[in-house]
């Protein structure tokens, strides 16, 4: 299986690969620091306001319920580091989805599992991955995320996507597709 993951998807893709090594051919990851042995959640939590806010139970949900558009507008404006921001139609769809209490709760729960993810990853990193692993990031983060990724996969590589922010697929789709196709080349007959 060829795995591609972005952001919190990295927190799912890495344990999947570490636990089902025979079934995973490679990991192509985007813009997320893999917590574990040498990258602690506490180190990245202070870098982004929403990490601390979103894990506050039940306060975060109580404050955002009924104000989802205000919250998401502020969130997306804060995440815009390069490229174009989300459109009004895209924002409206996020607001529609996250206005459902179970979706809002699940979104906040992602941040509440980070300490357990860190502990689980630390244990999994005792046996490094031998499959190919590649991480691309927004401009300026590749070196920061490479060393912690190499705790999990010593031969992992990384690269910045010049001119892109966190939403790589939205801001640099051609570059992302080129990177994925280079990492997972289509076999020729």
């Amino acid at each position: 299986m060829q795995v591609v993951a972005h952001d919190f998807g990295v927190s799912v893709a890495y344990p999947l690969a570490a636990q089902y090594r025979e079934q995973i051919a490679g990991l192509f990851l985007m813009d997320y620091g893999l917590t574990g042995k040498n990258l602690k959640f506490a180190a990245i939590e202070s870098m982004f306001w929403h990490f601390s806010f979103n894990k506050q139970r039940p306060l975060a949900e109580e404050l955002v319920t009924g104000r989802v558009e205000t919250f998401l507008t502020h969130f997306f404006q804060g995440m815009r580091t390069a490229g174009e921001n989300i459109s009004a139609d895209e924002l409206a769809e996020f607001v529609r989805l996250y206005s459902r209490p179970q979706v809002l709760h699940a979104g906040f729960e992602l941040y509440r599992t980070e300490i357990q993810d860190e502990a689980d990853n630390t244990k999994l990193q005792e046996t490094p991955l031998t499959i190919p692993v590649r991480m691309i990031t927004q401009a300026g983060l590749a070196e920061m995320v490479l060393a912690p990724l190499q705790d999990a996969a010593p031969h992992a590589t990384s690269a910045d996507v010049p001119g892109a922010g966190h939403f790589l697929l939205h801001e640099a789709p051609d570059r992302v597709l080129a990177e994925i196709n280079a990492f997972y080349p289509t076999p020729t007959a």
Side-chain angles (χ1 to χ4, degrees):
M1 180 181 345
Q2 299 172 334
V3 178
V4 176
H6 177 258
D7 198 359
F8 271 105
V10 173
S11 291
V12 176
Y14 168 67
L16 176 74
Q19 293 174 54
Y20 299 96
R21 293 168 186 268
E22 307 80 33
Q23 297 175 30
I24 307 298
L27 285 179
F28 185 90
L29 310 172
M30 292 177 273
D31 213 49
Y32 192 81
L34 183 66
T35 59
K37 185 166 62 171
N38 289 310
L39 179 61
K40 303 301 179 193
F41 180 66
I44 57 174
E45 182 177 22
S46 63
M47 296 171 65
F48 305 100
W49 69 269
H50 64 282
F51 278 41
S52 296
F53 177 81
N54 290 0
K55 71 181 204 172
Q56 299 302 312
R57 183 184 291 134
L59 182 63
E61 288 158 77
E62 289 176 6
L63 290 174
V64 173
T65 297
R67 299 172 192 88
V68 172
E69 184 172 3
T70 300
F71 173 74
L72 289 177
T73 298
H74 182 76
F75 172 79
F76 284 119
Q77 287 173 345
M79 292 297 291
R80 183 180 177 197
T81 56
E84 94 182 38
N85 211 347
I86 66 169
S87 71
D89 288 343
E90 291 166 328
L91 178 62
E93 180 63 6
F94 278 113
V95 170
R96 185 186 73 77
L97 291 171
Y98 278 93
S99 291
R100 297 166 49 199
Q102 68 274 28
V103 175
L104 185 64
H105 176 74
F108 286 126
E109 284 296 308
L110 291 171
Y111 296 86
R112 298 170 182 158
T113 64
E114 279 297 318
I115 300 300
Q116 186 61 53
D117 291 348
E118 177 185 303
D120 294 345
N121 290 346
T122 299
K123 185 165 178 48
L124 291 169
Q125 289 170 347
E126 291 173 6
T127 307
L129 295 176
T130 57
I131 58 172
V133 177
R134 174 90 168 146
M135 170 78 76
I136 61 171
T137 68
Q138 61 184 287
L141 288 185
E143 286 303 314
M144 183 182 96
V145 300
L146 182 59
L149 183 59
Q150 288 177 333
D151 290 335
H155 302 292
T157 61
S158 68
D160 288 326
V161 177
H166 176 65
F167 300 105
L168 297 168
L169 291 165
H170 187 77
E171 297 177 43
D174 293 339
R175 170 69 188 270
V176 171
L177 288 175
E179 286 271 353
I180 291 170
N181 288 332
F183 188 74
Y184 294 126
T186 303
T188 56

